[in-house]
Each structure stands twice: as structure tokens, then as C-alpha cells.
Amino acid sequence: MSRLGGTVLSTESAGEYSSAAKGETLEDTIRTVEGYADCIVLRHFQEGAARRAASVASVPILNAGDGPGQHPSQAFLDAYTIHREVGRLDSVKIGMVGDLANGRTVRSLCMLLSMYKNVEIYFVSPPVVNMRNDIKEFLTSHGVQWRESSDLREVAAEVDVLYQTRIQKERFTDLAEYAAARGKYIVDAPLMKLMRKDAVVMHPLPRVDEIHVEVDNDPRAAYFRQAKNGLFVRMALLKLCLQDKVISNRKLVSGL
């Protein structure tokens, strides 16, 4: 927003420090905050929170992540990155690796990629964090080929994009399950040798230990370029959301 010439009113840790801590509903918070803002970027721990906010808001709501649900702006920047790195979105083969049950980024990306032709998706994850059935059913209903695999080496050799994610400790109630899942699928130098020369590795960040630092200098490591792309894609989203308001204000000033 600052790059676009705007300002930001931040409510970080709102659940602890804002009126939400006193019992205010999300809907009331949105109705209050929209009086101070032209649009609202909402990150919330509950799945479906952005939809609830949008149902009562009179300003645009941008979903910046709703628990383990969706992360649409990340999907946009991921698609943009794939197009820049691979040169296409049709006929892309992508391997999604890691915490697929709780990873909202891979869920949104699956839904976005379903809009393109001949996409193939490979899911590689520990059983406790397999991709949820709703996304699998969505892909099937949209004619997208997908399959699950336990062999990361095999998938890495096949795909155009290896999309790694971290095992999200904060989503686990049973730490024994977390310990069993963490570290099972790692991207390291030996794995990179199996990948095609024109393939790329992506990650929504932050990473923990699921991509070794030794991979960073490989030109196929696209995750920091991916993060930078997020700045420009989100600037574009904000501009689109605010465009009608800017036009309306100009008309008001000019007396039209």
C-alpha cells in the first residue's frame, strides 16, 4: 500500500489487543474498521472468516489467509511466478509437497490452476497431512488430473514446479504427529540433481528445514523471486480494489 501512495492502519495481534479480545464479533469489527479504511486486508485464524467479513462489509475485503482455508493472493503470485519461470500455465506439471492438509496456499493454488488446460498435480505428503478430500473432489469435478505419491524423488524428476511447504507445527494438537511428519520430505542438493534443468522449486515461505540452504544458490530455486513477485501482485490487487473509488472521487472533485 505504501508503494501505491497510501497508508496502513495496522491491527496486528487483534485477537489479543483489539476489541475482539473483549468479545466483539468479527462482523462488528469489520463494520467499525471500514469507517476508517478504503479496503481491508484480513488475515484470520478461522477458516471462512474472510467470507463472513465480506458479507457485511461495504469496502473490499482481501483475504490474506483464513486459517487452513484459503490464501487467494498467494495463489495469484504463485501463478504469476510459474508463468514467469516456466513460461506457461497450461500443461504444467506441479508437485505439491509437505503439509497439504493445513496449507492454505496449496489449496488456493489448486483451485486457480483448475482454470488452465492439461494441468497435472502430484500430492506428496505424510499421511497425517494429506490433501483434504474437498480439494481432490474439486479438481476431479473440473477435469484436473491429480495423484498422490509417497516418492518425492520420482515426482521431482517429473514436474515443472516443485512446490514445497513447511509442516505447520501450530496446526497440530498432537506433537507426536508433528514429529512424525516433520523432516520426511526434504529438498536438498541430491534431490535437485534429479530435477530437470528447466524445472523450479517454489515455497510460500517461511521455511524451517524443508529446503536446505545449499539449494538457495541453484538458479532453479525460485522462492525468493516468488516472494518479491508478491509485492507487485498485491500492489495490483489493491489498485484494482481501489480503482472505482479513485474514479468516483475524481468525479466528485470535478463536479461530474
Side-chain angles (χ1 to χ4, degrees), residues 14-195:
E16 185 176 355
Y17 298 111
S18 74
S19 294
K22 302 174 184 177
E24 183 177 66
T25 65
L26 173 63
E27 288 79 3
D28 282 0
T29 298
I30 294 300
R31 289 188 177 103
T32 301
V33 172
E34 69 180 9
Y36 299 87
D38 298 309
C39 70
I40 296 173
V41 179
L42 177 67
R43 171 165 289 186
H44 200 278
F45 66 93
Q46 289 182 340
E47 188 170 348
R51 188 178 298 276
R52 286 172 52 199
S55 71
V56 300
S58 61
V59 299
I61 300 289
L62 289 175
N63 182 2
D66 60 335
Q70 296 289 336
H71 198 342
S73 67
Q74 181 72 41
F76 281 131
L77 78 90
D78 289 342
Y80 176 74
T81 301
I82 293 170
H83 192 273
R84 281 185 64 92
E85 298 285 338
V86 179
R88 67 186 189 281
L89 287 166
D90 290 329
S91 302
V92 161
K93 292 184 179 181
I94 180 169
M96 297 185 175
V97 186
D99 189 346
L100 307 184
N102 300 304
R104 56 194 174 208
T105 63
V106 288
R107 291 172 58 81
S108 287
L109 185 55
C110 281
M111 298 182 78
L112 182 54
L113 289 177
S114 72
M115 301 173 67
Y116 296 90
K117 298 176 183 177
N118 303 317
V119 171
E120 296 181 42
I121 302 176
Y122 300 78
F123 297 130
V124 184
S125 63
V128 70
V129 285
N130 281 346
M131 178 60 77
R132 287 189 263 162
N133 288 334
D134 62 334
I135 293 297
K136 297 175 187 175
E137 292 167 3
F138 177 89
L139 293 173
T140 299
S141 69
H142 285 74
V144 178
Q145 294 185 50
W146 63 269
R147 71 179 179 90
E148 293 179 306
S149 174
S150 60
D151 190 339
L152 178 58
R153 292 168 61 86
E154 178 188 30
V155 170
E158 281 285 323
V159 296
D160 303 298
V161 178
L162 194 65
Y163 193 104
Q164 176 71 295
T165 67
R166 71 183 175 91
I167 303 298
Q168 300 181 46
K169 184 177 181 180
E170 65 272 20
R171 306 289 184 196
F172 284 79
T173 55
D174 185 340
L175 292 182
E177 288 187 349
Y178 167 73
R182 182 182 176 186
K184 187 171 178 62
Y185 296 112
I186 300 294
V187 177
D188 54 15
L191 188 79
M192 296 297 289
K193 290 180 180 179
L194 301 175
M195 293 182 64

Side-chain angles (χ1 to χ4, degrees), residues 186-190 192 201 203 205 207-219 221 223-224:
I186 300 294
V187 177
D188 54 15
M192 296 297 289
V201 177
H203 192 304
L205 303 180
R207 68 172 166 187
V208 182
D209 54 7
E210 62 277 358
I211 299 179
H212 285 187
V213 176
E214 64 190 7
V215 175
D216 293 354
N217 291 327
D218 190 304
Y223 32 90
F224 293 119

